Amino acid sequence: PREDSLRPKRLADYIGQSELKQVLAIAVEATRARQEALDHVLLYGPPGLGKTTMALVLAEELGVRCRITSAPALERPRDIVGLLVNLQPHELLFIDEIHRLNRVAEEILYPAMEDYRLDLTVGKGTTARTRSLDLPPFTLVGATTRAGSLSSPLRDRFGLIQRLEFYGLDELQQIVERAAGLLQIKLEGGAALEVARRCRGTPRIANRLLRRVRDVASVRGHGRIGAPLVAEALSLHRVDDRGLDASDRRLLTLMLEGYGGGPVGLDTLAAGLGEDSATLEAVVEPYLLQLGFLQRTPRGRLVTPAGRNHLGWPAKAAA
Ligand code: ADE
């Protein structure tokens, strides 16, 4: 089974994000009672924490279909128009990376979200007219790693704005155990926790690591998988005991070797790593901040004492 079959289908099977689940469970129940469309939902937070999964879960709970797309696929006006006119009442439209919507698509969405109305321009120049078309009541579920990059008119049209958090160790352990069960992988004492410790607080990574562990186990002819095998398999993939991967270590190493541990600006670091700064900020930094290995200051990024220590650098001498 691929990732899809590991996704929980119902709220009750969705582990973690308890606040998010509480808020959405209430909204779903009230919506069902009123037989309306669910209010538009914006989910934001680092990648891999379950935003798409939650959209699918919401659809399942509401008993409707969920159409899935992402902003970069909505290049021409007719892409978004096509999706909107094909919606059935109360269906969900999931737009991933919604901060990347172009201006035209965004402006089509405003009346669609607010009044379930599509305003189309027909003709060109002096003969151009607007035609309005009623849409069925629907729910837009937007997902983004960067809520701050959304234009405020778009952000303001979401009734529910919810942030997904990194998962705790015990939640990750449960997620790994659940996935192992579905994939028919036998983990023994401590193995699930070992995967949990190394997945950057991220279920998608946990499931990916679990597959790599299974590969190593099957090549070695181990039927059963314990914590030492997990540690060995994941070192092979350069994932360390706190879950840092090669790009995390590259960032911290550049800061330590090139800039004395900082402070150093995001753009400087991005240029040094050949990454774009938005990706660095939304994808690489959040977990390092969460671990307390990295700090954001007004003068730039700083490696913390814990970060130095983790990379095996001596503590900075007092100035
Ligand atoms: N698999 C991936 N994320 C999950 C979650 N939050 N709950 C249960 N299984 C998952």
Side-chain angles (χ1 to χ4, degrees):
R2 289 303 314 170
E3 178 160 20
D4 259 4
S5 57
L6 293 182
R7 291 186 198 278
K9 301 276 181 295
R10 305 299 300 254
L11 269 182
D13 307 319
Y14 194 110
I15 297 160
Q17 309 295 344
S18 59
E19 194 186 305
L20 171 70
K21 281 188 298 189
Q22 273 177 40
V23 167
L24 293 179
I26 291 172
V28 163
E29 198 181 324
T31 300
R32 288 187 68 113
R34 290 195 298 261
Q35 305 195 10
E36 288 176 350
L38 180 69
D39 226 341
H40 306 300
V41 183
L42 180 66
L43 302 174
Y44 70 98
L49 301 189
K51 298 186 284 290
T52 308
T53 301
M54 187 52 90
L56 293 167
V57 163
L58 283 175
E60 190 73 31
E61 295 289 342
L62 292 162
V64 297
R65 273 197 316 185
C66 180
R67 310 304 195 105
I68 299 185
T69 188
S70 88
L74 304 175
E75 206 180 318
R76 303 158 304 175
R78 76 165 99 125
D79 299 323
I80 181 87
V81 168
L83 282 167
L84 290 170
V85 300
N86 283 305
L87 288 170
Q88 297 297 310
H90 304 182
E91 280 186 349
L92 266 56
L93 174 60
F94 178 77
I95 304 184
D96 204 1
E97 298 190 69
I98 195 161
H99 62 278
R100 293 176 62 183
L101 269 188
N102 63 48
R103 182 72 189 265
V104 176
E106 232 184 71
E107 282 175 4
I108 292 170
L109 273 183
Y110 296 158
M113 290 174 77
E114 209 151 75
D115 304 316
Y116 307 126
R117 197 184 76 229
L118 194 58
D119 291 335
L120 295 171
T121 313
V122 190
K124 285 210 164 86
T126 53
T127 62
R129 283 162 199 283
T130 33
R131 282 278 181 77
S132 283
L133 204 76
D134 285 335
L135 292 169
F138 71 100
T139 301
L140 180 66
V141 182
T144 178
T145 50
R146 313 173 350 128
S149 319
L150 234 63
S151 73
S152 42
L154 182 57
R155 198 172 43 233
D156 292 347
R157 285 172 168 81
F158 288 96
L160 293 153
I161 301 184
Q162 293 288 321
R163 175 191 158 104
L164 281 86
E165 310 284 346
F166 286 115
Y167 290 69
L169 266 189
D170 53 336
E171 294 164 347
L172 293 163
Q173 189 179 345
Q174 290 174 51
I175 289 170
V176 170
E177 281 163 358
R178 176 180 178 275
L182 292 170
L183 296 169
Q184 302 187 331
I185 299 172
K186 288 203 174 64
L187 297 180
E188 46 189 40
L193 181 59
E194 200 59 36
V195 175
R197 290 194 335 144
R198 293 169 183 252
C199 68
R200 308 174 105 253
T202 305
R204 180 188 292 159
I205 298 181
N207 288 338
R208 187 200 296 157
L209 297 181
L210 185 60
R211 289 195 168 83
R212 300 290 73 78
V213 170
R214 176 173 62 173
D215 288 351
V216 171
S218 67
V219 168
R220 298 279 166 77
H222 289 278
R224 301 186 150 207
I225 300 169
L229 187 74
V230 172
E232 186 195 332
L234 298 185
S235 319
L236 186 68
H237 289 280
R238 315 226 302 135
V239 173
D240 73 22
D241 60 348
R242 298 300 295 279
L244 269 57
D245 62 18
S247 53
D248 298 316
R249 285 191 302 269
R250 233 155 59 82
L251 171 65
L252 294 176
T253 303
L254 173 66
M255 293 178 71
L256 289 164
E257 288 181 353
Y259 303 93
V264 49
L266 176 69
D267 292 334
T268 307
L269 292 170
L273 295 168
E275 289 257 20
D276 76 289
S277 42
T279 304
L280 197 57
E281 186 169 32
V283 178
V284 183
E285 286 193 340
Y287 184 65
L288 295 171
L289 289 164
Q290 159 99 3
L291 279 182
F293 287 1
L294 187 75
Q295 209 182 335
R296 281 183 186 152
T297 75
R299 292 188 303 137
R301 271 58 173 174
L302 209 58
V303 182
T304 63
R308 292 178 78 89
N309 182 49
H310 183 75
L311 287 221
W313 281 57
K316 214 170 180 172

